Amino acid sequence: MTKNKSKLDFAGDWSYAPAPESTKVKIDKRYKLFIDGKWVEPTSKKYFDTISPSTEEKLAEVAWGNEKDVDKAVKAARKAYEGVWGKMSGKERGKYIYRIARMIQERARELAVIESMDGGKPIRESRDVDIPLVANHFFYYAGWADKLDYAFPNLRPKSLGVAGQIVPWNFPLLMVAWKLAPALACGNTIVLKPAEATSLTALKLVEILQEAGLPDGVVNVVTGFGDTGAAIVNHPDVNKIAFTGSTGVGKIIQKAIAGTDKKCTLELGGKAANIVFEDAPIDQAVEGIVNGIYFNQGHVCCAGSRLFVQESVADIVIRKLKDRMESLIVGDPLDKNTDIGAINSKDQYQIVKNYIKIGKEEGAKFHENSCALPKKGYFVRPTLFTDVSQSHRIAQEEIFGPVLSVQTFRTVSEVIAKANNTEYGLSAGIWTDKGSKIFNMTTKMRAGVVWANTYNKFDPTSPFGGYKESGFGREGGLHGLDAYLDLG
Ligand code: NAI
Ligand code: MG
């Protein structure tokens, strides 16, 4: 239980009960690698701890796969591709994927609780956003499995073979779903590497894949660190790499596969502009700003981390934003009232704290919520910087934490120039009452996704991906199939 006090906490000193499901999940002491339909010891016999960032307690030990393990997994995936999955009709593949989707729904609460324990995100997010989207993603791509010829008329789409998929820690199971569902629908087999801080839900998903009767070797899970990921990237018999994570690792991957015929999609960092015009519905915009940067601890590649407010409404927007910030509850991720959970890991906690320090040193004006933080765990208060200039590092670099930098603007052309002045281009948000302004802005923003009068809305039917250093290729929707097919 977490005690939270804030000025707006009108009920005074009271604590919230944790979500009742928090006691029900079963986590094994140790998780091996999942290769060719079986749990196997890692060759090195090495395991690492996965901890709960909100309690700093160890949850389980997870196998550390090396090059030899990756090689075994790729061989199993190749065998399954050639023997079963690549030859199976789309209609049959679709049945498996539908079954997986339904089983995810059945075990949704359990998956949500484990996601919040292992990664620190509030149960409200994992229960109401992540896991439902995971199931929806499988449902959506199950529907495409037998319709690929209709998706790409006259093109004779063919599967690629073995896909190596490397995912990050901010949406652990959702990123697995984004990768697995389209790859399976298109007839590919997979070697998957979850992020080292958050492997548990991917390992729980293995139980579902087994129960669904998915043939051996179709999905192999090799847990581990960056070296495990690199072994997948460098394996000569992998046909496609799908990666979501930091721009730095994205660049390493691109160099590693240059000159090979591996297909690749990279979804990297972001520094999204959330733009509020003077004619915007202010209260909704404030809610959208909060949703865009504070919920989920700002661990979102498309987080609205740069706020641009038109000068005439800047005072009122910032005042309302500060008021709303003050009501945010930071604490136990398993408490259903929590808005902001724990920062995912000690490393990321230090990165975020360091950027807050940098922001202060750069001369920006600092403001944070005044709530008490739990004594244990990696927690950061929602933070706001005003008097920020374009050249400040907090306005340029990805922080990946609940830290917002605020700038003002006067004209449309000024805000377009400022918003696009970043090396990233993943997403943007526009708040205005005028449809014509929205259309004008969407054509001018160099960003893969532009939300209008809303923020951070996801749907499996809608493609997602970046411009510039935010990566290339699209995941989701019809575009997401393209990434796993040879269209001739
Ligand atoms: P990272 O890019 O190192 O990790 C992402 C995944 O890549 C993990 O599964 C990791 O094990 C794997 N990996 C690491 N090195 C690899 C290599 N050489 N070859 C293949 N796979 C490799 O991200 P990290 O260090 O956890 O976070 C650092 C920063 O990256 C964050 O502060 C944030 O700014 C950004 N980030 C962006 C994400 C996004 O969704 N765009 C997700 C996670 C982090
Ligand atoms: Mg963990």
Side-chain angles (χ1 to χ4, degrees), residues 150-180:
Y150 300 98
F152 303 100
N154 306 321
L155 284 176
R156 294 176 164 269
K158 286 195 289 290
S159 54
L160 298 172
V162 177
Q165 307 187 319
I166 300 164
V167 299
W169 43 260
N170 55 338
F171 289 88
L173 195 59
L174 185 56
M175 289 303 106
V176 168
W178 278 29
K179 304 268 180 293
L180 286 188

Side-chain angles (χ1 to χ4, degrees), residues 50-51 118 197-198:
T50 191
I51 63 139
D118 200 15
T198 53

Side-chain angles (χ1 to χ4, degrees), residues 79 167 258 272 298 332 345 383 431:
K79 194 176 78 188
V167 299
D332 183 359
S345 65
T383 298
W431 298 85

Side-chain angles (χ1 to χ4, degrees), residues 40-352:
V40 297
E41 279 275 349
T43 315
S44 67
K45 306 262 189 298
K46 279 192 202 155
Y47 288 79
F48 59 92
D49 293 347
T50 191
I51 63 139
S52 161
S54 57
T55 61
E56 298 177 53
E57 275 161 21
K58 172 174 160 180
L59 295 170
E61 283 175 12
V62 178
W64 189 342
N66 66 13
E67 245 173 64
K68 283 190 192 140
D69 301 309
V70 166
D71 186 51
K72 273 193 227 163
V74 173
K75 286 202 171 102
R78 177 63 57 193
K79 194 176 78 188
Y81 176 70
E82 277 162 12
V84 198
W85 198 251
K87 294 198 291 201
M88 194 182 281
S89 71
K91 193 174 156 201
E92 287 305 309
R93 286 201 307 270
K95 285 187 200 166
Y96 283 102
I97 306 170
Y98 275 125
R99 202 176 299 157
I100 294 165
R102 284 195 303 269
M103 291 168 71
I104 290 167
Q105 283 187 319
E106 281 161 19
R107 291 176 66 173
R109 280 295 169 101
E110 177 194 0
L111 292 168
V113 169
I114 296 176
E115 200 74 308
S116 286
M117 287 171 78
D118 200 15
K121 67 170 61 191
I123 189 76
R124 208 179 57 204
E125 291 280 312
S126 49
R127 184 196 58 199
D128 299 347
V129 182
D130 291 49
I131 308 302
L133 279 172
V134 169
N136 282 350
H137 229 79
F138 280 98
F139 276 121
Y140 174 73
Y141 280 107
W144 276 119
D146 63 347
K147 301 175 195 69
L148 299 176
D149 290 333
Y150 300 98
F152 303 100
N154 306 321
L155 284 176
R156 294 176 164 269
K158 286 195 289 290
S159 54
L160 298 172
V162 177
Q165 307 187 319
I166 300 164
V167 299
W169 43 260
N170 55 338
F171 289 88
L173 195 59
L174 185 56
M175 289 303 106
V176 168
W178 278 29
K179 304 268 180 293
L180 286 188
L184 290 173
C186 293
N188 304 281
T189 57
I190 291 136
V191 177
L192 171 78
K193 196 198 86 66
E196 50 271 37
T198 53
S199 305
L200 290 183
T201 43
L203 294 163
K204 276 278 157 187
L205 182 69
V206 167
E207 292 173 9
I208 291 177
L209 303 180
Q210 283 181 303
E211 251 181 82
L214 194 71
D216 292 349
V218 174
V219 174
N220 305 274
V221 181
V222 184
T223 42
F225 290 79
D227 57 333
T228 319
I232 296 173
V233 170
N234 294 320
H235 196 290
D237 202 31
V238 168
N239 304 99
K240 146 98 194 183
I241 297 292
F243 171 79
T244 300
S246 62
T247 298
V249 173
K251 286 181 180 174
I252 295 174
I253 291 177
Q254 235 189 326
K255 275 192 200 139
I257 62 170
T260 72
D261 60 1
K262 282 175 193 162
K263 230 178 146 161
C264 184
T265 39
L266 300 176
E267 202 262 280
L268 310 172
K271 194 73 189 173
N274 209 354
I275 302 169
V276 179
F277 287 99
E278 59 191 0
D279 59 357
I282 300 287
D283 289 336
Q284 275 141 279
V286 167
E287 212 45 43
I289 296 161
V290 166
N291 176 25
I293 185 67
Y294 297 134
F295 292 165
N296 241 329
Q297 303 77 247
H299 292 343
V300 188
C301 47
C302 49
S305 51
R306 292 182 299 152
L307 173 65
F308 292 96
V309 196
Q310 201 152 20
E311 219 170 73
S312 49
V313 289
D315 287 347
I316 181 161
V317 169
I318 293 165
R319 181 173 58 74
K320 285 189 176 225
L321 183 58
K322 285 181 176 170
D323 285 351
R324 180 67 179 96
M325 275 171 81
E326 197 52 34
S327 71
L328 295 174
I329 296 167
V330 185
D332 183 359
L334 290 175
D335 185 328
K336 64 189 188 308
N337 296 295
T338 293
D339 296 303
I340 300 173
I343 301 290
N344 186 270
S345 65
K346 199 171 184 180
D347 287 351
Q348 189 60 30
Y349 173 79
Q350 268 148 4
I351 291 176
V352 176

